[in-house]
Amino acid sequence: IERITVAKLNLKVAKKAQDSTAYESALSYILIAKSLLNDKDWESNYETISSTFKLVAELYDVNGKFKESEEIIHQYLKKAKTG
């Protein structure tokens, strides 16, 4: 559970950094959050992992890392709940 709490904190800080246009810092924080999450979280912590993947893709994009952004989007689409 501590792992999820730390992931959520990094997600929150990444969003704040993004809001301040500190995109590189935001990407660093969100990558920490992503590294703390695993495949089981798609079932047990869906909102957190879904939000994290979306923000990773967005921040890769605004940081000019388009290939990485595309890869994350593909990973997200494989795991995301539909309907």
Side-chain angles (χ1 to χ4, degrees), residues 13-28:
V13 172
K15 287 179 181 178
K16 287 186 182 267
Q18 180 188 32
D19 290 345
S20 300
T21 66
Y23 299 124
E24 287 183 36
S25 294
L27 181 59
S28 295

Side-chain angles (χ1 to χ4, degrees), residues 10-76:
N10 276 278
L11 174 60
K12 184 176 181 179
V13 172
K15 287 179 181 178
K16 287 186 182 267
Q18 180 188 32
D19 290 345
S20 300
T21 66
Y23 299 124
E24 287 183 36
S25 294
L27 181 59
S28 295
Y29 288 118
I30 201 63
L31 290 175
I32 292 169
K34 183 181 175 294
S35 74
L36 293 167
L37 301 168
N38 60 50
D39 280 345
K40 293 179 183 176
D41 293 313
W42 286 104
E43 293 297 324
S44 58
N45 294 291
Y46 183 80
E47 288 301 317
T48 300
I49 197 166
S50 178
S51 295
T52 298
F53 266 68
K54 289 177 190 176
L55 192 55
V56 169
E58 186 176 338
L59 289 168
Y60 270 145
D61 188 66
V62 297
N63 279 286
K65 298 181 180 209
F66 306 115
K67 182 179 179 183
E68 293 89 339
S69 179
E70 188 176 317
E71 289 172 7
I72 290 293
I73 291 167
H74 287 296
Q75 290 175 24
Y76 174 80

Side-chain angles (χ1 to χ4, degrees), residues 1-7 36:
I1 292 295
E2 290 179 11
R3 169 182 66 83
I4 299 301
T5 301
V6 174
L36 293 167

